[in-house]
Amino acid sequence: MLVPIRMMVAVDATETLTNALNMMPVGRLDGGRAATAVFGRKNAALLGLVTLLVQAVSSFFNNYSVQLFWGALIIILQRNQEIPALDEISGVDSTRRAVLYVMLVLTALTLSPFYLL
């Protein structure tokens, strides 16, 4: 059964999905750069690998093709090394670290194929 919705609801849902995909902690995406700043290169690379594996498993078992497509696109298009930051010595303060944690939780909830309601 199709339910009629307003056009802005569809636009907002698409924008939310796009922003959540961009905040995934993988490679050169915004989430990957933030994870590199907070966790360091090695831990961010490990987090990115775990994220891609969870994404692949989730897309196969739940028939969620958006995540499979986005993961394949990341693997194909992001083969180059990350450009190093100008200042990799000074750390990130606790406020920005907390903001990253909140954004990662919101990203996981948005991209979760499981219905929470």
Side-chain angles (χ1 to χ4, degrees):
M1 179 174 144
L2 293 176
V3 177
I5 59 172
R6 296 193 183 268
M7 188 169 83
M8 287 306 293
V9 173
V11 169
D12 289 342
T14 305
E15 182 179 346
T16 302
L17 179 65
T18 304
N19 287 332
L21 289 171
N22 199 26
M23 275 306 294
M24 285 177 32
V26 177
R28 291 184 174 188
L29 298 175
D30 290 341
R33 291 178 191 252
T36 302
V38 171
F39 303 126
R41 285 187 189 205
K42 289 183 181 179
N43 292 333
L46 181 64
L47 180 63
L49 179 65
V50 168
T51 301
L52 284 175
L53 288 175
V54 167
Q55 185 176 1
V57 168
S58 173
S59 64
F60 282 126
F61 287 119
N62 295 311
N63 197 16
Y64 198 54
S65 60
V66 171
Q67 287 187 356
L68 184 62
F69 171 74
W70 189 250
L73 196 64
I74 289 171
I75 291 171
I76 291 169
L77 295 179
Q78 293 192 6
R79 293 181 180 241
N80 296 336
Q81 289 280 16
E82 177 64 38
I83 300 170
L86 293 176
D87 182 17
E88 291 188 0
I89 297 172
S90 57
V92 178
D93 61 345
S94 61
T95 304
R96 291 181 185 209
R97 189 177 297 263
V99 168
L100 176 67
Y101 292 146
V102 168
M103 291 305 296
L104 290 176
V105 168
L106 288 175
T107 299
L109 289 175
T110 302
L111 294 177
S112 175
F114 307 110
Y115 297 102
L116 300 176
L117 298 176

